[in-house]
Amino acid sequence: MLISVKILKGGECDIEVSATASINSVKQIVAEQLRIPVDQQKLVFKGKTLLDSETLCDYNIEEGNKIHLFVQEDVQEDTPTETIPEEPTPDFYDVLLKLLHKHFSPADAEKVLEEFRKNLADQLRHLSLDDIERIATIRLDSDSKKHSPPKSFTEENTPMQS
């Protein structure tokens, strides 16, 4: 069967595998095609990390499905990392509650905040990796536009004179 492997912040490739192939063998194929060492690969399907000892059929992966590949960079354990102390930031929900108190009674502000928490949690639960990548791409594109020089107007962009 043919399945697609999508690299986060990268390309996509299709690989031919058997439904009973182990995740480790899928990683071997990916390593050959994309030149990414097996030990740096993390495969994810529908939000679940795929274990090397399991098979594609154990995860109900079928023809045409897409598996996401996260590349884990080598981290040298000997290199000490310097931690920068963070300044304490107010809790988002505390700030939101203060804002709600300006517009609602205390009881109503609590109800609105609780409903907001439930809605946010529900929306986050339904985000797919494609959604997250799309949001990141839009955000990264908008950041790069802020730093690029403004485009000049061409005749195509100016209104026609009558």
Side-chain angles (χ1 to χ4, degrees), residues 3 8 12 16-17 39 45 53 56 60-61 67 71 96-97 103 113 118 128 130-131 144 148:
I3 61 172
L8 189 66
E12 190 171 322
E16 185 70 36
V17 290
D39 63 335
F45 180 68
S53 59
L56 293 173
N60 297 319
I61 297 173
I67 296 175
V71 179
L96 183 57
L97 186 59
H103 301 283
L113 181 63
K118 287 178 186 176
S128 68
D130 286 335
D131 293 333
S144 66
S148 63

Side-chain angles (χ1 to χ4, degrees), residues 140-151:
L140 292 173
D141 286 347
S142 69
D143 283 350
S144 66
K145 288 178 185 175
K146 288 178 187 176
H147 301 294
S148 63
K151 295 180 181 177

